[in-house]
């Protein structure tokens, strides 16, 4: 489900619950007044509590609608037509700030979307693990680090651009491949702290991911020379349009160097989504 429809659906549910609670408060108040089920002060407290809760829920519905209006409807067919004539690669972006938003929770496959701070869909990171892996992970969450997993990173028009796979076992690396099967990199989690080592297709060190603190509120992605290419903020807000995102979204700041180097961009752009998956951010 796209994020606009996701927020609209939440708003619709909240409105139904809010108006339903107001109706229930009115019915309860009238019946209690007529039949004297409780004292008048007790009835007033109960009804006022129901009304207050309903008002809060209706206010939440309004907030969801404001967020829904911020995100444009996805028009992948239109983007495909533009791509055919423009020659621009829908995978490469020069956005200095991106927002990561995850849909679904426990019991659903991972789906993480990259948005611009203006609400445009940029990339989509989806889990493609086999059904038995998904079922085992849902039933026994602690098994996740030992199960074989697979993911795909697609561009804004839905075309697969990177495939990520991890064999089952203890701390096996996550391999990153192009659609033609070329291995361009791998990631492996450190044993004792919030850190990942990054390697290129030849197995040589390409960089690392490190947390700035023990809580994992922010991560830095550096290349082999030590340049900071990506900064990931768990629950961070962008420099503008902050009211359109909530604490469920994460801020990603991309350096100008990464935006200007297509090869490095392709190798490192999936790392923020991996941070959310590997470190449960």
């Amino acid at each position: 489900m796209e994020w606009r429809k996701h927020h609209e659906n939440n708003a619709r549910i909240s409105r139904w619950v809010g108006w339903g609670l107001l109706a229930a408060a009115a019915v309860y108040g009238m019946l209690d007044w007529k039949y004297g089920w409780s004292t008048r002060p007790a009835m007033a407290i109960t009804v006022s509590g129901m009304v207050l809760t309903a008002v809060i829920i209706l206010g939440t519905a309004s907030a969801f609608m404001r967020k829904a209006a911020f995100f444009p409807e996805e028009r992948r067919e239109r983007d495909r037509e533009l791509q055919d004539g423009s020659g621009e690669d829908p995978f490469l972006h020069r956005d200095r700030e991106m927002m990561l938003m995850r849909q679904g929770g426990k019991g659903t496959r991972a789906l993480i979307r990259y948005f611009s701070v203006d609400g445009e869909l940029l990339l989509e990171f989806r889990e493609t693990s086999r059904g038995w892996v998904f079922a085992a992970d849902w039933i026994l969450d602690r098994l996740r680090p030992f199960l074989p997993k697979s993911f795909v990173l697609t561009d804004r028009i839905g075309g697969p651009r990177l495939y990520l796979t991890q064999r089952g076992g203890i701390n096996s690396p996550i391999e990153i491949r192009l659609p033609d099967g070329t291995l361009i990199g791998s990631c492996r989690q450190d044993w004792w702290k919030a850190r990942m080592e990054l390697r290129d297709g030849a197995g040589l060190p390409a960089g690392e991911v490190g947390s700035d603190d023990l809580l994992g509120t922010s991560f830095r992605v550096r290349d082999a020379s030590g340049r900071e290419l990506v900064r990931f903020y768990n629950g961070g807000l962008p420099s503008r349009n902050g009211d359109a995102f909530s604490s469920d979204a994460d801020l990603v700041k991309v350096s100008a160097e990464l935006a200007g180097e297509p090869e490095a961009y392709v190798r490192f752009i999936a790392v923020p989504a991996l941070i959310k998956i590997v470190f449960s951010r």
Side-chain angles (χ1 to χ4, degrees), residues 3-5 7 11 41 141 171 191 229 253 259:
W3 276 99
R4 183 186 182 93
K5 292 182 179 178
H7 288 312
D141 187 58
N171 200 29
W191 283 105
L229 299 180
K253 289 190 175 182

Side-chain angles (χ1 to χ4, degrees), residues 28 39-52:
Y28 172 80
T39 62
R40 295 295 164 82
M43 180 190 72
I45 293 174
T46 301
V47 172
S48 61
M50 295 172 69
V51 170
L52 178 60

Side-chain angles (χ1 to χ4, degrees), residues 121-179:
L121 176 65
L122 302 178
L123 304 169
E124 187 174 275
F125 187 89
R126 289 185 288 107
E127 184 174 4
T128 57
S129 303
R130 295 183 178 182
W132 72 268
V133 173
F134 171 67
D137 183 34
W138 177 63
I139 297 172
L140 297 173
D141 187 58
R142 293 182 182 275
L143 286 179
R144 182 172 188 84
F146 308 103
L147 299 176
K149 293 175 287 294
S150 59
F151 307 90
V152 61
L153 183 68
T154 61
D155 56 33
R156 70 172 185 270
I157 62 177
R161 305 305 294 264
L162 293 175
Y163 290 99
L164 299 92
T165 57
Q166 183 179 29
R167 298 184 180 88
I170 300 176
N171 200 29
S172 57
I174 300 172
E175 296 181 342
I176 305 173
R177 298 179 183 272
L178 297 175

Side-chain angles (χ1 to χ4, degrees), residues 29-80:
M30 289 187 295
L31 292 176
D32 194 8
W33 182 279
K34 181 176 181 179
Y35 296 106
W37 293 337
S38 61
T39 62
R40 295 295 164 82
M43 180 190 72
I45 293 174
T46 301
V47 172
S48 61
M50 295 172 69
V51 170
L52 178 60
T53 303
V55 169
I56 293 174
I57 294 175
L58 290 173
T60 302
S62 298
F64 279 126
M65 286 304 299
R66 288 196 300 271
K67 290 185 179 182
F70 175 80
F71 289 95
E73 292 185 7
E74 293 181 12
R75 296 175 178 149
R76 295 191 176 185
E77 291 300 327
R78 179 205 62 183
D79 286 342
R80 288 190 184 98

